[in-house]
Amino acid sequence: MKKIKKALVTGGAGFIGSNLVDALLEAGVQVVVLDNLITGHRSNLAEVLPKITFIEGDIRQRADVEDAADGCDVIFHEAAVVSVPQTVEDPIGSAAVNELGTLTVLDVARMQKTTRVVLASSCALYGDDPVQPKHEGLPARVQSPYALQKLSGEMYARLYCKLYGLETICLRYFNVYGPRQDPSSPYSGVISIFMDHSARQLAPKIYGDGQQSRDFVFVKDVVRANILAATAMAANGQVINIGTGHTVTINQLWETISRLFEITIPPCYESRRPGDIRLSMADVGKAGRTLGFEPAYSFEEGIKETFEWYGRRRNRK
Ligand code: UD2
């Protein structure tokens, strides 16, 4: 595939989407953002607004997607209801976004002859499969509406690839963290919550014994994987894990973050979250083979950059 000329980022005012917008602009790509600003923030785009086309609209509205996708050769589909518990509370409302919204994006891409769609999927599909590391050949073990909705998006993507020749790639993100992750909800990513609590000198809650571990992948690596997925020939029609292949326990995470903030606050241990997964680690072999992707950020480097961003954010307030 040739260089990207014009790209649409759905959810471009969100955490991952806005980081992707920055990288696309740096690469000289013309960028359109479609975001309904329900969980995204205009402030995430403050510095780039004059350089992009921003459309406040919704992926559930076909006309909004048509308007935004006009003339784009690539669509990065990041817009979603991203909270697993929120999809448990509202399976129908979240399906309208995560399933029908995704289908609308794919269908508009088909009609407008967009070359390629890169979709954000999730390691949630693996559920509590005990196999480690998780590889793409494992069957889906759906434990939440969120996982089912992401699986449906993947299946539609593959179908559109086969039926209509639309190039599609699904990236299964592991636990993404970094600048602009919003810590404001109890279901926010654990790193954003721990950063926020440390900055305010508050004890964090650790659910369970803290020995559960996650494959934390830095947002700038996820962005790079997206750009590779948009351009790599071998990626068409594939589902690919995006993680690091390494894990960190939640106890280690708090130790690392509290050391950076130079605080010694013991965490409050609470009961394990229902359905919480014990160990989640990505097999990143396929990402290497098909995208030439390897994470550039070690956990320490990513955490340090995230820490610096939360510090700057606090000073701005
Ligand atoms: C992540 C994704 C989710 C889905 C899922 C797939 C995020 C924010 N969520 O959920 O979208 O893809 O993976 O399985 O990336 N924890 C604490 N204290 C806190 C918050 C969390 O101990 O204040 C623990 C939590 O119980 C869990 C771990 O930290 O064991 C990670 O929690 P999370 O909410 O960041 O992400 P996860 O893996 O539940």
Side-chain angles (χ1 to χ4, degrees):
M1 176 159 164
K2 289 193 282 266
K3 197 175 173 297
I4 314 165
K5 288 194 200 108
K6 185 176 175 188
L8 165 63
V9 182
T10 70
F15 160 46
I16 300 173
S18 65
N19 278 285
L20 177 56
V21 169
D22 289 349
L24 288 168
L25 288 172
E26 266 168 40
V29 177
Q30 207 184 325
V31 178
V32 182
V33 166
L34 176 66
D35 201 300
N36 62 10
L37 299 179
I38 290 180
T39 53
H41 302 284
R42 206 183 278 267
S43 59
N44 284 338
L45 297 171
E47 284 164 28
V48 297
L49 268 180
K51 296 187 216 158
I52 62 169
T53 304
F54 177 74
I55 297 174
E56 186 173 343
D58 202 298
I59 55 166
R60 290 166 292 189
Q61 302 297 330
R62 189 176 178 107
D64 288 354
V65 183
E66 282 172 350
D67 194 15
D70 187 34
C72 292
D73 42 348
V74 178
I75 301 177
F76 295 94
H77 180 40
E78 308 298 317
V81 173
V82 295
S83 155
V84 175
Q86 199 179 329
T87 69
V88 174
E89 276 158 34
D90 184 11
I92 294 177
S94 56
V97 178
N98 292 348
E99 290 198 39
L100 271 181
T102 298
L103 183 54
T104 305
V105 169
L106 288 168
D107 203 57
V108 168
R110 162 175 86 100
M111 298 307 284
Q112 295 197 353
K113 309 260 183 287
T114 308
T115 311
R116 190 171 273 201
V117 183
V118 181
L119 296 101
S121 186
S122 166
C123 65
L125 263 75
Y126 297 117
D128 58 5
D129 196 314
V131 175
Q132 299 296 342
K134 305 285 201 303
H135 62 84
E136 295 86 347
L138 292 169
R141 289 199 182 201
V142 166
Q143 281 179 209
S144 63
Y146 178 79
L148 184 54
Q149 292 159 7
K150 286 290 174 185
L151 178 62
S152 143
E154 284 193 0
M155 292 176 87
Y156 271 118
R158 275 196 257 194
L159 190 64
Y160 267 61
C161 191
K162 274 197 194 134
L163 271 185
Y164 307 115
L166 174 68
E167 294 185 10
T168 65
I169 293 100
C170 301
L171 300 181
R172 289 184 178 166
Y173 301 159
F174 278 66
N175 287 60
V176 189
Y177 71 98
R180 302 196 188 130
Q181 192 168 29
D182 187 353
S184 60
S185 132
Y187 303 118
S188 299
V190 65
I191 293 185
S192 67
I193 295 177
F194 281 9
M195 289 278 171
D196 183 63
H197 276 57
S198 298
R200 295 193 287 139
Q201 310 248 332
L202 299 172
K205 287 180 185 161
I206 291 188
Y207 302 111
D209 62 6
Q211 290 304 106
Q212 69 270 39
S213 53
R214 293 292 184 272
D215 186 329
F216 291 108
V217 55
F218 190 54
V219 68
K220 288 191 181 170
D221 278 327
V222 172
V223 161
R224 206 161 43 80
N226 269 277
I227 295 176
L228 287 168
T231 49
M233 293 299 288
N236 183 26
Q238 301 295 318
V239 167
I240 304 168
N241 284 342
I242 303 299
T244 67
H246 301 285
T247 59
V248 174
T249 69
I250 302 307
N251 285 329
Q252 286 167 339
L253 179 66
W254 175 247
E255 277 162 31
T256 308
I257 294 178
S258 48
R259 216 178 309 124
L260 277 173
F261 280 87
E262 297 176 340
I263 54 170
T264 44
I265 301 176
C268 301
Y269 285 89
E270 304 221 340
S271 46
R272 180 177 164 264
R273 273 186 187 172
D276 204 47
I277 290 163
R278 189 76 181 159
L279 172 61
S280 173
M281 192 201 320
D283 182 325
V284 292
K286 190 171 176 184
R289 288 190 302 276
T290 49
L291 302 179
F293 170 78
E294 265 188 42
Y297 283 80
S298 68
F299 175 67
E300 288 72 21
E301 287 163 341
I303 283 288
K304 195 159 166 285
E305 201 166 315
T306 308
F307 163 73
E308 283 159 7
W309 184 82
Y310 278 95
R312 287 199 296 277
R313 177 179 183 260
R314 227 180 136 63
N315 291 338
R316 277 200 303 271
K317 279 188 176 173

